[in-house]
Amino acid sequence: MFREKKQIVIFLTAAVVFGGFILFRYIPVSKDMDAVKNERAAQNLIIAKGISDGEQLPAFTEQLQKLQERLDNYESNIPGKKDLGLFLKQIAGLMDRHNLKDQAIQPLEEIKINELICIPVTMGCRGNLTEIFGFYRNLQELDRQIRIKQVKLKNEKDYNGEIKMETEIVIYYRTQVG
């Protein structure tokens, strides 16, 4: 019986030591290992994102350079003097070149915004779709900054293939400093 008690005590002691080891050593170390694995996975994600962003950097640099060139062109296409008469002649010349009929070009009242002066201009004419789109293509190629505010295209009532175009654009020039 003494031997059985001794074996039970040894067994209980081993169970307590094993339980203590599991409870006080294995579980905390296991939690720490899981935390380290999670942290490592998060760091790997950050590194992968950094590598991916680094690979995209040349594309962003190229895009920024193109935007900078467009901005430089934008600034240079805003003249320092009005030249409204010359611009209206250019518009009329474009309309003539594209065989547009019933031409009407009317500048409206100037609007001053900081160092810029905006001049709304209404235009109207008739022609077929190819002629009108050719006019707009050439209008964009002018060496002056133009914002197309509104375009209306209406089919003629007799459906003869001609379209009536009404457009409002805005042109800009700088105020004279000094």
Side-chain angles (χ1 to χ4, degrees):
M1 175 122 105
F2 178 71
R3 195 171 196 203
E4 289 177 11
K5 283 184 180 182
K6 197 175 181 182
Q7 285 179 347
I8 291 174
V9 169
I10 291 173
F11 180 72
L12 286 175
T13 305
V16 168
V17 169
F18 184 72
F21 174 77
I22 295 290
L23 186 63
F24 295 111
R25 192 71 183 138
Y26 179 76
I27 291 175
V29 169
S30 176
K31 286 182 181 178
D32 290 343
M33 284 179 53
D34 288 344
V36 168
K37 286 179 185 176
N38 289 339
E39 186 66 30
R40 191 173 202 178
Q43 287 176 350
N44 286 339
L45 277 173
I46 291 171
I47 290 170
K49 185 178 181 326
I51 290 171
S52 173
D53 290 349
E55 291 170 352
Q56 292 178 358
L57 189 59
F60 286 137
T61 303
E62 183 180 331
Q63 187 178 13
L64 177 64
Q65 187 176 17
K66 286 179 182 177
L67 288 173
Q68 188 64 41
E69 289 171 6
R70 283 182 62 195
L71 180 63
D72 291 343
N73 289 339
Y74 179 84
E75 291 290 328
S76 66
N77 286 339
I78 300 176
K81 52 186 175 177
K82 197 174 192 176
D83 285 338
L84 183 61
L86 177 65
F87 176 74
L88 297 178
K89 280 184 181 179
Q90 287 177 324
I91 296 293
L94 284 177
M95 286 181 171
D96 287 340
R97 189 177 346 154
H98 291 283
N99 302 316
L100 299 173
K101 303 172 203 97
D102 298 335
Q103 300 175 10
I105 306 168
Q106 179 65 43
L108 303 175
E109 188 174 332
E110 295 180 357
I111 303 166
K112 184 176 181 184
I113 302 172
N114 296 329
E115 294 124 26
L116 288 179
I117 295 181
C118 309
I119 304 173
V121 177
T122 59
M123 302 182 296
C125 60
R126 283 186 314 115
N128 68 40
L129 203 54
T130 305
E131 294 166 342
I132 290 175
F133 279 116
F135 167 74
Y136 279 114
R137 192 175 311 108
N138 290 134
L139 185 65
Q140 290 176 330
E141 295 169 357
L142 291 178
D143 61 350
R144 185 169 193 147
Q145 196 61 41
I146 299 169
R147 181 173 62 94
I148 298 176
K149 190 173 179 181
Q150 183 178 32
V151 175
K152 290 181 186 176
L153 299 174
K154 294 180 183 177
N155 205 355
E156 290 291 326
K157 292 180 182 178
D158 59 358
Y159 299 106
N160 62 359
E162 285 195 343
I163 296 172
K164 182 177 181 183
M165 180 268 296
E166 295 176 9
T167 300
E168 186 175 339
I169 65 170
V170 179
I171 61 170
Y172 303 92
Y173 71 96
R174 297 180 198 283
T175 57
Q176 298 297 325
V177 180

